[in-house]
Amino acid sequence: MKRTFNAGLGYVWAWIIVGLLTLEGLILLPTHSLVTTRGGIVVPDIDAPLALVVYSFPLLGIFIAPFLLFSGISRFEAWHTVDPGMVWDSRIQRRRAGWSIVIALVLAVLLPVMSLYNLNWLLLWDSAVDGIGYGWVIIPLFVAGATGIMLTVALAGWQKLAGVLYMLVLPGLLIVFAIQAPHIDRRQMTERRAETVVRVIEAYHARQGYYPPELRYLISWNRPQLPEPLIIYGQGWCYKARDDYYTLGYIYHKDWSDPHLMGEVYQSTGNDPAPGDVCNTEIEVLRLQRY
């Protein structure tokens, strides 16, 4: 009994290590980086092998989570019911086994959540360019359905409910994301993000007595990045400032195929002599990049 349970814990730790590496990939290499600003599918300076690696992390997250869930649930049942004296030589060993089960179950939740988060943003940005739409979710749907069936068969009794939920909830959310992505109001989301940037600018002014010359002055250890506009992938805010005024805006167009780029002023404070010109330079640069 002791040898069997300890061997099972070895498999749990193996899945935990793979799960942690996958979670790190989901955080550091988001799948929405595959969308290009020029209407294609893959960013031009990312070669095909790297693009495949980036896209594989959500698939790995969806694939690995059921194995972690199965390992955690099955080990917990044994951990909870067996006589501690028959399996563990000390309380420390039993405590370590308990922590491995907790970590496995936590990862089993985090991996599909992060995978869905990445795929949702990929679908959102893909709908902003001439992308492939539902094509992004075909493989994740298959992986979620297949691993959900495997989990349902492997678990016993009421535990099968975890497999059924996995098989239904994940594909359902993927389908919902794919359907709603083209209909999300990106301009409204951009306005909400702009309001956050305005608050940070005003806080800087209240603290320093003048407005930041550039938005990068707002970056700090507790604020590593600012929310960006959700209109054109990779396009940041338009911003100009002097000590006593600033203007914040963003580039706007009706859809990805519209060649007419417009500068939208969100906030202008002080005596800016020409607030409407805030995006002129960025528009010219973007036109050169596109055409």
Side-chain angles (χ1 to χ4, degrees):
M1 176 71 178
K2 180 183 295 187
R3 181 177 300 174
T4 302
F5 193 87
N6 289 335
L9 285 177
Y11 286 115
V12 173
W13 279 112
W15 283 115
I16 286 174
I17 292 172
V18 176
L20 287 173
L21 292 174
T22 303
L23 184 63
E24 183 181 11
L26 286 167
I27 295 172
L28 298 179
L29 296 173
T31 48
H32 57 78
S33 64
L34 295 178
V35 182
T36 175
T37 59
R38 291 196 286 272
I41 302 305
V42 180
V43 177
D45 58 352
I46 294 184
D47 57 16
L50 182 55
L52 184 62
V53 169
V54 173
Y55 181 58
S56 69
F57 278 110
L59 303 179
L60 282 173
I62 294 172
F63 177 80
I64 293 169
F67 289 92
L68 284 165
L69 191 59
F70 172 77
S71 300
I73 291 176
S74 58
R75 292 299 96 193
F76 175 76
E77 287 295 321
W79 181 87
H80 183 67
T81 57
V82 299
D83 182 359
M86 295 176 59
V87 180
W88 292 281
D89 296 328
S90 66
R91 291 183 178 180
I92 295 178
Q93 289 183 349
R94 177 177 170 83
R95 189 177 301 167
R96 288 175 179 173
W99 274 113
S100 70
I101 294 169
V102 171
I103 295 172
L105 293 176
V106 170
L107 278 175
V109 175
L110 288 179
L111 283 174
V113 168
M114 284 301 301
S115 296
L116 288 172
Y117 174 81
N118 273 262
L119 289 170
N120 181 47
W121 278 103
L122 172 60
L123 290 165
L124 180 62
W125 280 115
D126 181 73
S127 63
V129 297
D130 188 17
I132 62 176
Y134 296 104
W136 288 113
V137 299
I138 292 176
I139 299 179
L141 282 173
F142 173 78
V143 172
T147 53
I149 292 173
M150 293 169 56
L151 184 61
T152 304
V153 172
L155 293 174
W158 64 269
Q159 298 172 358
K160 290 182 178 293
L161 180 61
V164 174
L165 289 175
Y166 194 88
M167 182 173 52
L168 296 178
V169 173
L170 253 70
L173 288 174
L174 282 170
I175 293 172
V176 170
F177 292 160
I179 292 174
Q180 72 174 2
H183 306 292
I184 289 178
D185 190 340
R186 292 179 192 79
R187 188 169 185 178
Q188 186 179 40
M189 294 178 68
T190 297
E191 297 276 332
R192 290 200 297 266
R193 290 187 159 207
E195 182 58 35
T196 300
V197 177
V198 166
R199 287 198 296 269
V200 177
I201 293 172
E202 294 294 347
Y204 182 96
H205 181 265
R207 186 172 60 253
Q208 301 292 342
Y210 58 90
Y211 293 109
E214 299 176 16
L215 291 179
R216 62 184 178 89
Y217 284 80
L218 302 176
I219 303 301
S220 61
W221 66 269
N222 62 340
R223 186 181 295 105
Q225 62 182 8
L226 294 173
E228 297 181 348
L230 297 175
I231 306 296
I232 301 172
Y233 181 75
Q235 186 66 44
W237 301 104
C238 308
Y239 179 77
K240 62 176 179 176
R242 293 292 184 271
D243 290 349
D244 57 347
Y245 76 81
Y246 80 91
T247 299
L248 179 73
Y250 56 90
I251 298 177
Y252 173 75
H253 60 176
K254 293 181 179 179
D255 57 66
W256 66 268
S257 62
D258 185 7
H260 302 292
L261 302 174
M262 299 167 284
E264 185 74 15
V265 175
Y266 177 78
Q267 179 77 20
S268 184
T269 299
N271 297 318
D272 186 346
D277 298 338
V278 65
C279 290
N280 286 359
T281 302
E282 286 82 356
I283 289 175
E284 290 303 317
V285 171
L286 189 55
R287 282 175 178 165
L288 289 173
Q289 291 175 346
R290 286 187 168 186
Y291 307 113

